[in-house]
Amino acid sequence: MAQLEENAAPPRLLLHSCCAPCSSYTLEYLSDYFDITVYYYNPNISPEDEFDKRFREQQRLIEALPTKHPVRLVRGAYCAADFEAIAKGLEAVPEGGERCFRCYRLRLEHTARLAKENGFDYFCTTLSISPLKNAQKINEIGEALGAQYGVAWLPSDFKKHEGYKRSIELSRTYRLYRQNFCGCRYSRKAKENEA
């Protein structure tokens, strides 16, 4: 990251987050460089009580994690129909395929739109910290949406430089709830079928 001028206000970043564990290292790292607002928008998470549980953990982490600049949290509406609409016809596609790419786009487009409406300098997501997520595709979608909405996309692959490992350490430190599936009913079913 480029160094900020001394006493200069940090750029404003709207950071989409899927859950507290994925945001842990991401916030630890980025908060040195940005004024961050976390946007928790995840209509893919099923059922709604799982969505609520992950939101509460996100809130708890933000309150406990020491950061250079304060971090704010915005809760997006829970609208499972948004996810079901983009998943239609792709129900049988394996995890990590086109259904997931559409899900990335759904969540990132909401983030880009909100970033534009509220004058953020950048937008980004915590999704790339997961070894199960395609960072190249996430960045490709983010760049396209940044151009569409006129807000700079912050390219990232947070799993690099042991970011994923650090997220596991921070999850232990803060005793975060770490789910074993992405969030949607298809990923939950895939995990159940593995058992």
Side-chain angles (χ1 to χ4, degrees):
M1 287 284 165
Q3 291 298 316
L4 296 172
E5 288 181 35
E6 198 167 330
N7 300 322
R12 295 178 66 223
L13 171 67
L14 185 61
L15 179 67
H16 166 265
S17 177
C18 54
C19 63
C22 287
S23 72
S24 59
Y25 165 73
T26 309
L27 287 173
E28 181 183 67
Y29 173 62
L30 290 177
S31 66
D32 281 351
Y33 307 99
F34 294 95
D35 175 345
I36 301 173
T37 298
V38 170
Y39 182 42
Y40 181 83
Y41 170 71
N42 299 291
N44 59 308
I45 295 175
S46 175
E48 190 170 356
D49 63 345
E50 176 75 15
F51 173 90
D52 292 336
K53 183 174 187 175
R54 293 187 194 195
F55 175 77
R56 287 191 301 273
E57 283 296 274
Q58 181 69 77
Q59 195 170 40
R60 189 171 68 81
L61 173 67
I62 288 171
E63 289 168 359
L65 187 71
T67 56
K68 181 175 179 179
H69 302 288
V71 175
R72 286 163 296 288
L73 176 61
V74 172
R75 179 183 174 131
Y78 181 71
C79 187
D82 289 350
F83 172 73
E84 293 302 329
I86 61 98
K88 190 173 175 74
L90 300 171
E91 295 86 353
V93 172
E95 193 74 9
E98 184 61 31
R99 186 183 62 244
C100 294
F101 299 161
R102 287 190 187 180
C103 185
Y104 301 162
R105 183 177 179 84
L106 171 66
R107 293 185 280 171
L108 291 180
E109 185 156 13
H110 274 255
T111 307
R113 188 180 304 123
L114 189 63
K116 175 69 173 178
E117 290 169 0
N118 291 278
F120 282 86
D121 301 299
Y122 294 89
F123 75 107
C124 190
T125 181
T126 63
L127 289 170
S128 71
I129 200 164
S130 170
L132 303 175
K133 299 290 183 282
N134 185 325
Q136 182 179 341
K137 192 68 173 176
I138 290 166
N139 283 308
E140 177 186 306
I141 293 167
E143 288 287 348
L145 290 169
Q148 180 182 336
Y149 285 91
V151 181
W153 167 254
L154 183 67
S156 61
D157 188 349
F158 294 117
K159 72 179 81 51
K160 289 188 172 181
H161 309 293
E162 301 205 339
Y164 179 68
K165 180 180 175 187
R166 178 66 179 148
S167 76
I168 293 171
E169 292 168 359
L170 288 167
S171 293
R172 285 192 195 114
T173 299
Y174 292 98
R175 297 180 180 180
L176 298 177
Y177 163 61
R178 275 187 87 86
Q179 59 288 337
N180 66 351
F181 68 104
C182 172
C184 75
R185 61 191 174 103
Y186 307 108
S187 63
R188 181 193 292 263
K189 187 175 180 183
K191 273 292 176 194
E192 288 169 356
N193 289 342
E194 284 176 14

